[in-house]
Amino acid sequence: MNIKITKNGPFVVDKDIPVKEVTSIADEDGGVSDFEVQKDISDPGTDKYLCRCGHSANKPFCDGQHAKIGFDGTETNNRKKFLEKSALYSGRVYDALVSEDLCAVGRFCDVGAGMGEALGSCDEADVKNVIHAGCGCPGGRIVLVDKKTGRMIEPDLDKEIYLIEDVPEEHLGPIYVRGGIQVTGADGFEYEVRNRMTLCRCGESSNMPFCDASHLYCEHMKI
């Protein structure tokens, strides 16, 4: 299974990768608790061309607008692996490896006391929130490490794509790639395969091909 990036054009998603439209479920304080699947738009046996410039009139699919607007989809990510660029934050029950450039503002870390405060607590509710943030983060910005075993904690995810509709923020969100799917750059570079990552579909990220939450400020991504 592969997602191929075309030069200044769409993502080409392998025919065998399920694609689902989902909405963010937020609590009263704005933290996100989960995603709810709204529609399965998979078409088995057919590759899917997903818009990368953000201006398609047929989102999430490409309609050729990238050529009309002169979209520059140059991949600007530093291409370092997660462990090369992540910082370690010490906690009471779990440590957290964090790579800030991968933040897609999924807001899983805003549930309860917040990730930062909860990390330093042994309270059962806080530990639960740490797990929620560390395993829910769609961009893979946060990965938890069990302090006793040193084992990195990852949720068990199927290989599939979630197209996020951030209803609380009233914007279309990124392409959430789940379960460890290869992403190949326009020049043939194979990005690190990770359990969780978010790809930009607004066309404005400064960390292409990954989301940097620029969609939240794009008029063309408003719901």
Side-chain angles (χ1 to χ4, degrees):
M1 293 186 179
N2 200 309
I3 299 171
K4 296 179 180 178
I5 301 169
T6 60
K7 184 177 181 180
N8 300 326
F11 295 107
V12 182
V13 178
D14 186 274
K15 61 184 185 305
D16 294 322
I17 301 175
V19 180
K20 301 172 182 178
E21 293 182 332
V22 306
T23 53
S24 299
I25 302 173
D27 62 22
E28 59 184 12
D29 297 319
V32 172
S33 59
D34 204 350
F35 295 113
E36 183 176 9
V37 176
Q38 300 295 326
K39 186 179 181 182
D40 188 334
I41 62 171
S42 303
D43 185 7
T46 304
D47 289 343
K48 291 160 281 289
Y49 292 77
L50 299 183
C51 175
R52 191 159 73 94
C53 73
H55 289 273
S56 172
N58 188 36
K59 294 184 185 70
F61 303 108
C62 172
D63 69 354
Q65 282 296 318
H66 58 274
K68 296 178 182 179
I69 67 173
F71 171 60
D72 181 0
T74 301
E75 294 161 52
T76 53
N77 176 262
N78 59 27
R79 294 183 167 179
K80 290 183 179 180
K81 293 184 177 180
F82 179 75
L83 290 179
E84 293 180 272
K85 61 184 179 179
S86 57
L88 179 65
Y89 292 84
S90 182
R92 297 291 298 277
V93 179
Y94 295 99
D95 292 334
L97 290 166
V98 180
S99 183
E100 292 294 351
D101 67 323
L102 299 177
C103 182
V105 190
R107 304 193 306 287
F108 278 77
C109 55
D110 292 340
V111 170
M115 179 67 174
E117 183 177 335
L119 196 63
S121 170
C122 287
D123 180 80
E124 183 177 351
D126 288 335
V127 173
K128 183 178 180 181
N129 286 337
V130 167
I131 295 172
H132 174 78
C135 292
C137 174
R141 163 182 168 258
I142 303 169
V143 175
L144 299 180
V145 180
D146 189 303
K147 289 188 74 74
K148 291 183 178 179
T149 66
R151 183 173 64 91
M152 289 193 289
I153 309 299
E154 279 286 351
D156 185 16
L157 303 176
D158 292 332
K159 293 181 186 295
E160 59 186 355
I161 283 174
Y162 277 5
L163 301 171
I164 298 174
E165 184 175 318
D166 193 341
V167 175
E169 293 294 328
E170 300 182 336
H171 277 75
L172 295 177
I175 298 172
Y176 178 13
V177 181
R178 297 158 56 90
I181 298 172
Q182 180 68 66
V183 175
T184 303
D187 61 354
F189 177 81
E190 294 186 338
Y191 287 90
E192 179 183 17
V193 176
R194 302 192 64 217
N195 192 39
R196 294 168 288 143
M197 64 174 73
T198 47
L199 300 176
C200 171
R201 63 167 172 154
C202 72
E204 300 293 335
S205 175
S206 60
N207 190 33
M208 291 284 195
F210 301 107
C211 173
D212 70 352
S214 290
H215 56 272
L216 293 173
Y217 309 100
C218 293
E219 286 294 318
H220 59 270
M221 298 300 286
K222 291 192 72 171
I223 298 172

